[in-house]
């Protein structure tokens, strides 16, 4: 082909693509959930252009040149957000019969390429289930989550928008059980950056930033081992200097969470036994709780009730990482909202914790998690009113991410 003709064709393709992006897209439906104000807007008409929402309207006067997506009697929601995911992390239930078998299988046998492919499969399934954004908090091998994030952002494969943490910062041994010195030397660095002292804490954050982290994940405590106040403060200082948020894994007891709170972290992950005074302090400091509760597990429900009473912002996080032979990662994740209603949250509170609140935590205000002007056109649809029937969110029938239709089932 003549080089001049080739260049003209390339220019035409670019112009046509830009023109398509500039066109107004209008999504029509029976209603949309106004998550901020806790109400339905009926009928619902969303105008979007170049991947962002321009306006919400109920007027039928739609410009003639607009692309119209008529979803009929569907209900519209913001794209779902999972603030605690592990897309490249996958354990097997049957291997739990042998202590350490899952750790060895994933870190010593499964290579990074395979883990990336596992992540690609889980990312696709999460997106089809309506999750347009996830925060991936470690246990992803050596920067596999960053590679997955970048591949999705380049449109090489389908998946949610990813905020990646790379390897988690942790006390000696990470979250692994006791092992020989030789095994620890090889296996732990594949998943964690071990910290002992303030200087190592600062260096670990800088290494995560160098490796492409969007946020920092820190394991505050693991059994008897716990990072101290000085180490945690150094981590937060280094992260904030790079404008990165810090997610703090703190499980049982108040003291690990208190150390993280006093250091200035942005969220407490799990916090299974947090007391009312600690939750009140979190609310005062604007620190989010990411409970990672599972349907059917009732022993930690009271702390969600205490969090609601204290006014803590609750952001949904699945913490899913086991392979389920019956359901994919997206389906399993969507099924866990029942754990929150069982803990006393209303359907509206659950929807807020699944969209607006984690959107603010993960991306900052004004970007994702709401159907409002200026927000990313991340839009999903369900068949029934989710304010009356939360389980309808388990069957998402329409997914749009950044103004592009990903999936539609009539």
């Amino acid at each position: 082909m003549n080089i001049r003709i080739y260049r003209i064709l390339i220019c035409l393709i670019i112009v046509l693509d830009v023109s398509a992006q500039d066109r107004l897209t209008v999504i029509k439906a029976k209603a949309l959930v106004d998550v901020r104000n806790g109400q339905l807007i009926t009928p619902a008409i969303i105008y979007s252009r170049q991947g962002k929402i321009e306006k919400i309207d109920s007027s039928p006067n739609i410009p003639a040149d607009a692309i119209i997506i008529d979803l009929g009697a569907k209900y519209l929601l913001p794209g779902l957000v999972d603030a605690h995911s592990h897309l490249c992390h996958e354990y097997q239930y049957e291997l739990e019969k042998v202590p350490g078998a899952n750790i060895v299988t994933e870190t010593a046998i499964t290579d990074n390429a395979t883990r990336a492919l596992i992540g690609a499969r889980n990312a696709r399934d999460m997106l089809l289930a309506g999750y347009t954004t996830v925060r991936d908090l470690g246990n992803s091998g050596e920067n596999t989550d960053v590679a997955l994030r970048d591949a999705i952002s380049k449109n090489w494969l389908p998946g949610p928008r990813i905020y990646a943490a790379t390897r988690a910062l942790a006390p000696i041994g990470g979250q692994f059980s006791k092992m020989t010195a030789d095994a620890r030397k090889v296996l732990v660095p594949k998943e964690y950056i071990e910290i002992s002292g303030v200087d190592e804490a600062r260096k670990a954050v800088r290494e995560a930033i160098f490796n492409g982290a969007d946020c920092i994940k820190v394991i505050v405590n693991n059994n008897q081992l716990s990072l101290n106040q000085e180490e945690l403060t150094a981590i937060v200082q280094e992260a904030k200097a790079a404008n990165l948020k810090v997610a703090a894994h703190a499980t049982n007891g108040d003291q690990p969470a208190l150390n993280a709170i006093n250091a200035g972290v942005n969220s407490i992950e799990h916090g299974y036994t947090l007391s009312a005074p600690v939750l009140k302090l979190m609310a005062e400091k604007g620190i989010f709780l990411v409970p990672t509760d599972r349907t059917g597990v009732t022993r930690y429900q009271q702390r969600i009730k205490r969090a609601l009473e204290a006014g803590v912002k609750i952001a949904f996080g699945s913490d899913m990482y086991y392979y389920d032979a019956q359901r994919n990662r997206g389906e399993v994740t969507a099924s866990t909202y029942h754990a929150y209603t069982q803990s006393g949250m209303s359907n509206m509170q659950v929807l807020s914790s699944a969209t607006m609140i984690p959107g603010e935590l993960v991306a900052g205000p004004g970007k994702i998690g709401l159907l409002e002007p200026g927000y990313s056109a991340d839009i999903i649809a369900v068949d029934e009113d989710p304010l009356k029937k939360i389980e309808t969110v388990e069957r998402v029938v329409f997914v749009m991410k950044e103004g592009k239709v990903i999936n539609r089932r009539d």
Side-chain angles (χ1 to χ4, degrees), residues 28-60:
K28 300 171 60 179
K30 178 179 180 179
L32 70 80
V33 180
D34 177 358
V35 177
R36 188 191 297 278
N37 298 305
Q39 62 185 12
L40 285 180
I41 295 177
T42 306
I45 303 177
I46 300 177
Y47 293 74
S48 73
R49 196 192 307 266
Q50 293 186 323
K52 292 189 178 295
I53 295 172
E54 282 195 350
K55 67 175 180 176
I56 309 295
D57 201 353
S58 297
S59 169

Side-chain angles (χ1 to χ4, degrees), residues 299-343:
R299 64 184 180 276
Y300 303 129
Q301 287 183 349
Q302 290 301 316
R303 68 86 162 73
I304 284 188
K305 294 179 181 178
R306 293 194 295 271
L308 290 171
E309 291 170 358
V312 175
K313 293 180 180 180
I314 298 176
F316 171 81
S318 69
D319 194 25
M320 288 294 170
Y321 56 89
Y322 275 90
Y323 175 74
D324 190 311
Q326 306 301 319
R327 299 174 296 174
N328 66 43
R329 183 69 64 88
E331 292 168 338
V332 175
T333 298
S335 73
T336 60
Y337 293 126
H338 293 287
Y340 294 78
T341 56
Q342 290 168 0
S343 297

Side-chain angles (χ1 to χ4, degrees), residues 18-27 47-49 54-55 60-69:
V18 171
S19 177
Q21 290 179 0
D22 285 340
R23 285 190 66 186
L24 179 68
T25 298
V26 178
I27 302 100
Y47 293 74
S48 73
R49 196 192 307 266
E54 282 195 350
K55 67 175 180 176
N61 298 321
I62 299 171
D65 61 343
I67 299 170
I68 299 175
I69 301 173

